[in-house]
């Protein structure tokens, strides 16, 4: 693994664990095994490195989600696969956790990968729902954009509820509820 990749990967992990403020350059260097000179050779500073780490986390999240959302099956089956995918619920979402970090949301460079990822995810799920409507799977009155926003909110809110309860049950319950609501709009 290249020095740059070690720095990015270490920063990804630290951002997820500690947030932006808790991720110091020293912690990044210790985790990655890279010296200060090498770090500043590849990145202009902590914000630049954090932005690269957030972009990589966002890309990885999109790739994992796309694997479920592009799988064979009905629109409902693909959304269900995304919701039921194996995840570390109690750790939360790498990207969603950053939306709760005041330093990330205050900085347009750091916020951009977070915002773009959620925009992409809502759009991708809305497209599946619209395809399902075109195929006669979902009722025409179901609003694809609103429903996609609700599905994404269920996942992100499910993480929060699970962490608060120190149990995956609230997440699982939220997923079952979302799928039940989506199933109520199936016509096929």
């Amino acid at each position: 693994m290249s020095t740059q990749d070690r720095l990015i990967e270490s920063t990804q992990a630290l951002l997820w664990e500690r947030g932006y403020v808790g991720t110091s350059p020293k912690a990044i260097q210790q985790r990655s095994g890279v010296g200060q000179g090498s770090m500043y050779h590849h990145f202009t500073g902590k914000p630049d490195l954090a932005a690269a780490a957030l972009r990589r986390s966002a890309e990885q999240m999109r790739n994992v989600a796309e694997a479920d959302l592009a799988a064979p099956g009905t629109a409902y089956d693909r959304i269900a696969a995304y919701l039921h995918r194996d995840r570390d619920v109690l750790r939360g979402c790498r990207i969603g956790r950053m939306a709760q970090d005041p330093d990330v949301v205050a900085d347009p460079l750091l916020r951009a990968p977070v915002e773009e990822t959620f925009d992409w995810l809502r759009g991708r799920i809305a497209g599946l729902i619209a395809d399902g409507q075109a195929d006669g799977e979902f009722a025409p009155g179901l609003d694809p954009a609103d429903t996609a926003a609700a599905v994404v909110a269920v996942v992100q809110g499910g993480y929060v509820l699970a962490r608060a309860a120190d149990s995956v049950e609230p997440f699982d319950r939220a997923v079952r509820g979302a799928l039940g609501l989506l199933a109520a709009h199936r016509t096929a």
Side-chain angles (χ1 to χ4, degrees), residues 103-123:
D103 292 296
V104 171
V105 296
D107 184 329
L109 179 69
L110 297 176
R111 187 182 64 247
V114 175
E115 185 177 6
E116 291 163 5
T117 299
F118 287 130
D119 285 346
W120 173 85
L121 186 56
R122 284 189 304 269

Side-chain angles (χ1 to χ4, degrees), residues 60-142:
Q60 290 168 341
M61 181 180 159
R62 285 190 305 270
N63 290 340
V64 169
E66 182 61 21
D68 293 323
L69 298 172
T74 66
Y76 177 89
D77 292 340
R78 291 157 50 184
I79 293 168
Y82 165 72
L83 290 172
H84 284 301
R85 141 175 99 70
D86 187 33
R87 39 182 114 221
D88 191 351
V89 173
L90 295 180
R91 283 194 74 195
C93 173
R94 283 180 188 256
I95 296 299
R97 298 257 318 256
M98 295 299 99
Q100 299 170 35
D101 190 311
D103 292 296
V104 171
V105 296
D107 184 329
L109 179 69
L110 297 176
R111 187 182 64 247
V114 175
E115 185 177 6
E116 291 163 5
T117 299
F118 287 130
D119 285 346
W120 173 85
L121 186 56
R122 284 189 304 269
R124 185 67 175 93
I125 293 171
L128 275 176
I129 293 167
D131 291 347
Q133 287 174 317
D135 293 341
E137 178 185 358
F138 293 122
L142 185 65

